[in-house]
Amino acid sequence: MTGAGVHRAREVEEAALAWLTAHREEFVLGEDALAPEGRVNDSWKPLGELAQVCVSVRGRTAPTDPVYATVTDLLAFAWRQTRHGALFLQLQRLEPFATYPLEVYAPFASAGLRHPGYEAAAAAVARTRGWQLTEQQPTRRLGVRMAERRSGMRAPEPGPEAVARTWLGGLSEPWTFERSSGYQLTHVVFHLTDWGCGADGLPPALASYLAHWLPPWLDSCLEARDWDLACELLAVAATLPRPLDPATLRDAWDRTAAAQHTTGALPEQGEGPAADERSAEGAGRYFAGTYHSTLMAAFAAALTLGRPHGRGPGHGSPPLHGDGGPARHPRHPWDPWGVPERHGGQGVRG
C-alpha cells in the first residue's frame, strides 16, 4: 500500500486504540459474569474480543512502537478481569460443556497468560464424546478446534473436509455473499491464519478465490456503510499472499477514516448511536454499537501495517505473564469470537 494509505491506516489504528483505552472500564466483568442468567454476549464476549485484538496487534507491531505498549497494557487489564484465569475454572465447573469459556481463554493462553487448573479441567472434558460430538455450525466447529490447540490441548489439525463444509471453503457462488456469510468467511480466515499471525494458513484455492472476489464485497460493504464487516474484510485482505490493489485499499481506508468519530470510535453501521453518555443507558447503547467495529478497525489496521511497505511486522513479540512481564510458556495457535449465546447447544448449567 502507498504511503498515503499507510498513514491513513495508522491514524485509524491510533484513534481506535485511544478510544478503547478511554473506555476500557466498559469491558469490566460485572457481578453477573457467573450468574445462570448472565448475558455472555454483553460480558465475556467483549472481553475475549478485546484480548484477541490486543494479541494480534502485538504480533504485528514492533516492541519499540507506542502501540505495542498500549495493547500490552490493555491485555494485562483484560487478564485481571478474569482474576488471572481463576474465573475460567469457575465457569468450567458451572458449565462444563460450554465452549465459550475456552474460546475466550484461548487468546490469553496464546500470549502466555495461562491457568493450569482451568486447562486441566477443560482438557478432561474435551476428551469426552459429549464434547467431541457436540453439533455445531462448521465455522464454529473450526473455531472451537483451533481454540483447543491454542490452549495447549492435543486437538488434531482441522482437515480439508472441515474447511470444505464452510461457506468459504466450498467456494460458494460469489453472488450469494451477504452479511451473515460475510462474517462466516472472515472467521474461517481468522481461524486458519491464527487471527492474522500465521502466514501460510490459507489453502491456495481459498486465497485465489478471495483475491478475486474480496474487492467487490468490500466495496459493497463500504457503500452500505457497514463499517464492522468492512473492517473484517480489510483484515482478511491483509492475510492474503498478495495484497489487494493499492487504490482499492487506499479508498477503503479513506472511507473508514471518514466514518470514524473524532473520539476514535467507529460505528458498526451508518453513523452509529448518538454519543449520549449522560446516562447509564445512553452510555451502554453507545458502547454496544461501537466497541466491536472499533476493535476491528484497530485489528485490520495492524494487519495492514504489518505487511511489507507498512510499518513491518512485530519481531517475535514475547508472550506475557501476570501483568505484562515475559512469559515462560511458548505461544500456541488460537481462536474465536463467534462467542455464542449462553445456551443453544453449547452446554448449560446442570
Side-chain angles (χ1 to χ4, degrees), residues 47-49 51-53 55 75 102-113 150-151 334-336:
L47 189 71
E49 292 166 340
Q52 180 50 61
V53 166
V55 170
L75 181 60
L102 181 65
E103 295 176 273
V104 175
Y105 177 79
F108 292 112
S110 75
L113 299 169
R150 224 172 175 206
S151 300
W334 125 271
D335 181 81

Side-chain angles (χ1 to χ4, degrees), residues 45 48-53 99-107 139-140 142-144 146-148 150-151 187 190-191 195 292 296 334-340:
K45 181 174 182 286
E49 292 166 340
L50 175 65
Q52 180 50 61
V53 166
T99 60
Y100 75 86
L102 181 65
E103 295 176 273
V104 175
Y105 177 79
T139 301
R140 180 149 179 78
L142 184 66
V144 172
M146 296 304 292
E148 291 174 4
R150 224 172 175 206
S151 300
H187 282 72
F190 298 158
H191 299 324
W195 288 84
H292 187 268
M296 290 299 97
W334 125 271
D335 181 81
W337 46 85
V339 180

Side-chain angles (χ1 to χ4, degrees), residues 47 79 234 252 274 283:
L47 189 71
W79 183 238
L234 279 170

